[in-house]
Amino acid sequence: MLAVESLDTVVLPEGERFGFWHDFVARESVPSRVSSDHAKNFRAQAQVVGLGDVVLSSWSYPSLDMHRTGKLIRRGDPEMYHLALPLSGSGGVMAERRENELVAGEFTFVDTSRPHMSTHRAVSPEQDQLTTLTILIPHALIPLHPNKVAMIVGARIPATRGIGVLLGQFVRQIITHPEQYDSADAPRLDNIARDLMAATLAQRLDAAETLPGEVRNSSLRIQIKAFIDRNLGDPDLSPSAVAAAHHISIRALHRLFEAEDSGVAELIRLQRLNRCARDLRDPSLAKRPIYSIAAQWGFPDKAHFSRLFRAAYGVPPQAFRTAGGLTAATKGLDSQ
């Protein structure tokens, strides 16, 4: 499993909660001056997932103010870029003489080497716990000129379109399900995080073409995989359709996936089969005809689907469903 650090202040005496959380933030993120009207009984949780150089975190807390001061920066600075994605609440961010509204569902971007302030408020007393996801990445790992990046310090970056969507989905997945990954996955996840963040900042700066080719290609592969995942039910999904949707040639598409374990056509087929297997294991779909499930995921030909499924899982779809999914596949493979 990935390396995870967790905190829940509820296990502490009320008088110690705010100070302990403040120290935890300074250690796992960056030292800041924090104040809150809830300091006397500060209920907060945190989860920090280290991928290597990149650190992902989830923070849950009541309304507060944070100030990264010049004095704190002079005492020590990890020289990191910091993207924060608030999932609830409202507020504001001030950095580099820019003041922007803090909006739930949009990234805010700051630099630990530059003073900045933020306020985060609950929208109602009934929903007084706020949640923010964050990404910390060293300056040196973003292949954009620091002067260029400085132009968007304090800015908002959409998480509902462009590369920001993929970055937000990536952070949510890792933070929500770190148990789904082994420690050996960390370096690969770290690289994905680097490339997605670099591409997100470059897109905001309209400077994608200045990124190294390797970073652009990695970002494009991630976008293509997400596109395939969203369109698996389309029977017309094919390498040519994928290439056309991303304004590249079929040759360029195949070249892009040369180093991957699967080519584009195989990736589409395997993802569709995985979705079918998932639905066949789902008890709530037990009465749904197999051909209907297959058609939903892009296999309109029943005989063709059955051949592909048996080749992948070792048993026909009906046997897979009857014997409980993977158990059936194991039995079928063992008997061959």
Side-chain angles (χ1 to χ4, degrees):
M1 182 173 161
L2 298 173
V4 179
E5 291 285 341
S6 299
L7 167 69
D8 189 338
T9 63
V10 173
V11 302
L12 300 169
E14 289 186 7
E16 298 178 12
R17 292 175 180 177
F18 183 72
F20 195 91
W21 187 82
H22 187 283
D23 292 344
F24 186 86
V25 172
R27 185 173 71 252
E28 299 295 340
S29 182
V30 291
S32 298
R33 195 169 69 203
V34 184
S35 60
S36 173
D37 293 338
H38 304 268
K40 290 184 178 179
N41 180 16
F42 198 77
R43 295 180 296 109
Q45 298 80 40
Q47 180 164 285
V48 181
V49 181
L51 302 179
D53 293 306
V54 179
V55 179
L56 310 180
S57 305
S58 174
W59 309 91
S60 179
Y61 46 82
S63 298
L64 53 71
D65 300 324
M66 300 188 75
H67 186 188
R68 174 79 170 152
T69 66
K71 185 176 180 180
L72 288 171
I73 292 169
R74 289 190 294 274
R75 283 182 186 173
D77 179 28
E79 298 184 352
M80 301 275 238
Y81 293 126
H82 183 277
L83 265 178
L85 180 63
L87 302 183
S88 56
S90 62
V93 177
M94 181 179 290
E96 296 297 289
R97 299 181 180 179
R98 303 184 191 103
E99 188 169 357
N100 265 302
E101 184 181 2
L102 185 150
V103 177
E106 289 197 7
F107 287 108
T108 58
F109 177 64
V110 294
D111 183 345
T112 67
S113 301
R114 298 171 184 268
H116 54 270
M117 301 174 61
S118 65
T119 62
H120 200 179
R121 297 282 181 269
V123 295
S124 69
E126 295 77 23
Q127 297 178 332
D128 62 344
Q129 287 295 109
L130 304 164
T131 300
T132 297
L133 307 182
T134 64
I135 312 161
L136 277 170
I137 184 169
H139 292 169
L141 298 185
I142 296 297
L144 294 166
H145 196 284
N147 291 345
K148 194 86 171 173
V149 178
M151 295 169 60
I152 56 171
V153 168
R156 298 206 315 259
I157 299 176
T160 54
R161 64 179 185 271
I163 307 296
V165 175
L166 301 179
L167 182 60
Q169 290 172 345
F170 174 82
V171 176
R172 288 173 190 252
Q173 171 63 26
I174 303 300
I175 286 290
T176 306
H177 298 291
E179 76 285 351
Q180 294 182 356
Y181 305 91
D182 297 326
S183 57
D185 296 324
R188 182 176 177 84
L189 295 173
D190 190 80
N191 287 334
I192 292 173
R194 295 184 195 188
D195 292 341
L196 280 175
M197 187 153 174
T200 298
L201 298 181
Q203 186 175 63
R204 179 64 172 77
L205 288 162
D206 196 23
E209 293 305 314
T210 68
L211 291 172
E214 183 179 342
V215 175
R216 293 202 306 272
N217 288 342
S218 175
S219 174
L220 182 54
R221 278 193 297 270
I222 294 169
Q223 292 180 66
I224 288 171
K225 288 177 181 179
F227 175 84
I228 289 172
D229 194 58
R230 292 194 306 270
N231 292 278
L232 287 172
D234 182 355
D236 294 326
L237 182 66
S238 65
S240 59
V242 172
H246 293 84
H247 310 290
I248 59 176
S249 68
I250 286 284
R251 182 177 179 182
L253 178 66
H254 290 316
R255 189 164 58 244
L256 190 65
F257 279 78
E258 280 178 348
E260 296 285 297
D261 294 334
S262 304
V264 177
E266 185 181 6
L267 178 63
I268 293 171
R269 182 173 66 254
L270 291 176
Q271 288 290 79
R272 282 173 166 168
L273 288 170
N274 286 338
R275 294 297 178 88
C276 290
R278 182 196 66 185
D279 287 356
L280 291 173
R281 288 194 298 266
D282 188 343
S284 68
L285 299 177
K287 294 184 178 180
R288 186 173 180 184
I290 290 175
Y291 71 83
S292 176
I293 290 174
Q296 178 186 355
W297 295 116
F299 294 115
D301 187 317
K302 291 188 288 186
H304 179 62
F305 166 68
S306 186
R307 286 194 301 271
L308 290 177
F309 192 93
R310 179 160 192 160
Y313 289 91
V315 291
Q318 183 60 58
F320 182 91
R321 167 182 265 181
T322 302
L326 291 178
T327 303
T330 303
K331 290 177 181 177
L333 290 171
D334 288 344
S335 64
Q336 288 181 340

